[in-house]
Structure formats: structure tokens, C-alpha cells
Amino acid sequence: MRLVFIGAPGAGKGTQAKRLAAEKGYPIVATGDLLRAAIAEQTPLGQQARAYIQRGELVPDPLVNQLVAERIATLESFILDGYPRNLTQAQMLETILPQPLSAVVYFAISEDALIARLGGRRICPQCGAVFHITANPSTAGDRCDHCGATLITREDDQPDTIRKRFSVYREQTAPLVDYYRQRGLLRTVNADAPPDTVYQQLLSVLCEST
Ligand code: AMP
């Protein structure tokens, strides 16, 4: 399966991608995670990307396109989480894919639900696990249940940056919903629902795509 997950920040794409990957073995290519890792490692890419991410803006297309092209060149199956984020990237993806996409899953959700979700999100800087202070708290309080590292709020989950990320999503990423609908690839799940329900929906829309 060659899958793209699209949806607003906080719609649950990453959580669902991890669950699907654990069950089916599809590798995840999550551009946000790759960029955050590059920042932590202080690579040239990380140094260039950091200011854009802090402002809630998109990192320039050439940097992200190259990152994705390198990752998916040899993959038969993958889940692309957070890419493409605009039409230029969607067109680029078509040129780098050895085989066409199987489906594009759209995580549809209301903005009110998103603001509540992002404000309470805590991530593990060491293993990448994602928690939520009310919906999915770590049993070890402010420590990661998996590796014990101290949980943090993502730099770009601050209220002003969240607002900026939404406006970037509305202007640049939301048009991809129609783009992929017109190509017959779009499968929609109701991402307002609890994670288990979303996962069941995900499995059923993917069944229709095989
Ligand atoms: P995410 O973890 O997917 O919410 O991404 C966090 C941030 O990384 C975004 O707000 C962007 O600044 C940057 N980013 C992630 N994916 C992309 C992409 N495909 N194109 C440009 N910037 C991206």
C-alpha cells in the first residue's frame, strides 16, 4: 500500500499512522518527524528548517521534496504523513513515485476539536511517542511510558503558532482534498471520533482500496 494521510494539524494522522504501521508493517515517512530529528541533530537541513517550523510556516518545497524523494525511492509500501502539504509537492510526488498511490486518507475534523487537542499534546523527545494531558495521559505523569524521557510540548504547539499552522493548512493544504477527490483517490474518515473508532474507519476505507 502506498498511502498519503492528509488533514489539519492535530487531526490524528500520526497516531493512526503508527498504529497501522505496527499492524501492517508499512514504513512511515513523516516529514514533521524527519525535520524535527534534523533540527535535534543540527544537520544543515535542520538549521535551515528550524525558523520556518517555529513560525508555523511550511519549510520550502525543495528541501522537503528532496527529503521525501530520498526516503521513498526504495519503498514498495509506505504511509506518507504530512506530505504533500501543497499542490507543488503533490505534483512533485507524482514524478518521484515508481508506482501510483493506492489511496489518500483525509482526516476530517472540526477546528474547535483541533485547538483542544493540540494545546494538550505532549510528545516524547526521545522515542517520538505522543500523549495528551486528558485524552491519552502518560501513566508515569510527565515521563514517557515507553522510554522514561521527560515529555515536552512541541515548540510549534503554542497558541499563536497553532493559529498560523491552521491558516497555512486552510490556504495551502486543504485544496489537496479536491485535488485527490478528482483523481478518485480520496477516502475520508471522521477524525472527530475517538482513536479506536477512527482506526476501524481507516481499516474499512483501506479495504475498499485494495
Ligand atoms: P507536522 O509534524 O506534520 O505537524 O509538521 C510540523 C512542521 O514541519 C510544519 O508546521 C512545517 O513547518 C514542517 N513540515 C512538515 N511537513 C512539511 C511539508 N510537507 N512541507 C513543508 N513543511 C513541512
Side-chain angles (χ1 to χ4, degrees), residues 65-105:
N65 287 339
Q66 196 191 339
L67 187 67
V68 172
E70 282 165 9
R71 297 279 158 161
I72 65 172
T74 54
L75 296 178
E76 293 257 311
S77 288
F78 54 77
I79 306 169
L80 268 178
D81 167 11
Y83 182 95
R85 277 284 225 281
N86 60 27
L87 282 170
T88 312
Q89 293 181 8
Q91 283 154 0
M92 177 67 189
L93 179 59
E94 273 158 34
T95 70
I96 57 182
L97 277 177
Q99 288 168 295
L101 289 173
S102 315
V104 174
V105 182

Side-chain angles (χ1 to χ4, degrees), residues 31-32 35-36 53 57-59 64 82-83 85 89 154 156 165:
T31 43
L35 291 167
R36 280 185 289 279
I53 294 182
E57 295 170 9
L58 293 187
V59 174
V64 184
Y83 182 95
R85 277 284 225 281
Q89 293 181 8
R154 267 173 52 169
D156 58 349
R165 286 162 65 207

Side-chain angles (χ1 to χ4, degrees), residues 121-208:
R121 179 158 71 178
R122 299 288 179 271
I123 64 164
C124 174
Q126 198 156 290
C127 74
V130 182
F131 299 91
H132 189 279
I133 51 172
T134 52
N136 175 30
S138 165
T139 52
D142 64 350
R143 299 202 161 265
C144 177
D145 279 342
H146 307 291
C147 72
T150 302
L151 301 177
I152 56 167
T153 300
R154 267 173 52 169
E155 251 179 348
D156 58 349
D157 277 347
Q158 310 299 335
D160 280 354
T161 318
I162 290 175
R163 272 189 284 279
K164 175 68 186 170
R165 286 162 65 207
F166 281 151
S167 75
V168 168
Y169 172 77
R170 275 193 301 268
E171 284 160 25
Q172 301 193 47
T173 311
L176 295 181
V177 171
D178 274 343
Y179 178 87
Y180 285 120
R181 187 179 286 125
Q182 283 160 14
R183 282 159 179 72
L185 285 169
L186 199 77
R187 311 282 180 268
T188 302
V189 296
N190 170 16
D192 267 320
D196 284 348
T197 314
V198 178
Y199 189 65
Q200 293 314 317
Q201 288 180 54
L202 176 61
L203 293 180
S204 82
V205 297
L206 292 182
C207 255
E208 295 158 17

Side-chain angles (χ1 to χ4, degrees), residues 100-114:
L101 289 173
S102 315
V104 174
V105 182
Y106 169 43
F107 290 76
I109 186 168
S110 69
E111 228 171 79
D112 286 347
L114 287 173

